[in-house]
Amino acid sequence: DTAVSQTPKYLVTQMGNDKSIKCEQNLGHDTMYWYKQDSKKFLKIMFSYNNKELIINETVPNRFSPKSPDKAHLNLHINSLELGDSAVYFCASSQEGRPDTDTQYFGPGTRLTVL
Amino acid sequence: GESVGLHLPTLSVQEGDNSIINCAYSNSASDYFIWYKQESGKGPQFIIDIRSNMDKRQGQRVTVLLNKTVKHLSLQIAATQPGDSAVYFCAENAGGTSYGKLTFGQGTILTVHP
């Protein structure tokens, strides 16, 4: 009965590889997000989708491409991985994405290590 | 630029004490603030929120205070327990066109000693 789930939990890969992280939410929410948390615990939003439509697209290298096949899923594909991509990536979801009321529920995170 | 920051990166308390975690923000347009708790190896978990038309909101053992004059937010935890040990983040949402976009502060590490 996990609300927001991510796979894999850990991902170790070589520079230059392409990898994907999957996220699913069973809360019936319309909006999903991807965040990056660096080694100093700083959390920064990368993308958000509302009903499969891209809403927020922060300054993120175009090697990162989110894909939302349906409103319950938001996957993150990363091309040509670099050392600086090493971080914990969190998926989150909220009911509507309204800025003044919605609580965002976070997944358990995916720790990506690029060697 | 717009930012949310914390005064104290670490806080160490004894079990049973009250804890106060502070947060400063700079975006006067922010109208919604949230506190999150992140335990080791887990994602952030919602604790309590407050809108800009309020200055205080209470939950179970937690109280959030908002001072818009000085752009300051605090989280008070009563009778702190070892299970409260975690990293605490404040986050703000500027509303308007910042659709669902939360800006997180750096985080405060709270350690509760039994």
Side-chain angles (χ1 to χ4, degrees), chain A residues 9 12 49 52 62 84 89 94:
Chain A
K9 187 168 177 62
V12 181
Y49 271 71
K52 302 197 301 176
N62 57 15
Y89 292 84
S94 66

Side-chain angles (χ1 to χ4, degrees), chain A residues 53-65:
Chain A
E53 180 184 348
L54 181 65
I55 300 297
I56 295 174
N57 185 357
E58 290 295 284
T59 307
V60 176
N62 57 15
R63 297 181 295 104
F64 291 78
S65 54

Side-chain angles (χ1 to χ4, degrees), chain A residues 12 16 19 24-25 41 51 54 57 64 91 110 112-114:
Chain A
V12 181
K19 291 292 180 185
E24 176 181 3
Q25 54 95 4
K41 297 287 188 181
N51 273 318
L54 181 65
N57 185 357
F64 291 78
C91 177
T110 295
L112 172 64
T113 303
V114 182

Side-chain angles (χ1 to χ4, degrees), chain A residues 51-91:
Chain A
N51 273 318
K52 302 197 301 176
E53 180 184 348
L54 181 65
I55 300 297
I56 295 174
N57 185 357
E58 290 295 284
T59 307
V60 176
N62 57 15
R63 297 181 295 104
F64 291 78
S65 54
K67 286 184 172 54
S68 182
D70 54 63
K71 74 174 191 177
H73 296 84
L74 181 63
N75 304 323
L76 183 65
H77 189 75
I78 315 170
N79 289 329
S80 303
L81 278 156
E82 300 178 357
L83 293 176
D85 297 332
S86 295
V88 182
Y89 292 84
F90 287 99
C91 177

Side-chain angles (χ1 to χ4, degrees), chain A residues 6-11 21 88-89 108-112, chain B residues 41-43:
Chain A
Q6 297 177 225
T7 55
K9 187 168 177 62
Y10 299 97
L11 184 54
I21 306 172
V88 182
Y89 292 84
T110 295
R111 181 175 293 278
L112 172 64
Chain B
K42 297 183 179 180

Side-chain angles (χ1 to χ4, degrees), chain A residues 37 41 56 96-97 99 101 104, chain B residues 36 38 43 51 89 93 99-100:
Chain A
Q37 186 173 47
K41 297 287 188 181
I56 295 174
E96 297 174 15
T101 58
Q104 294 186 18
Chain B
Y36 280 90
Q38 185 179 18
R51 298 189 193 189
F89 295 93
N93 192 303
Y99 191 88

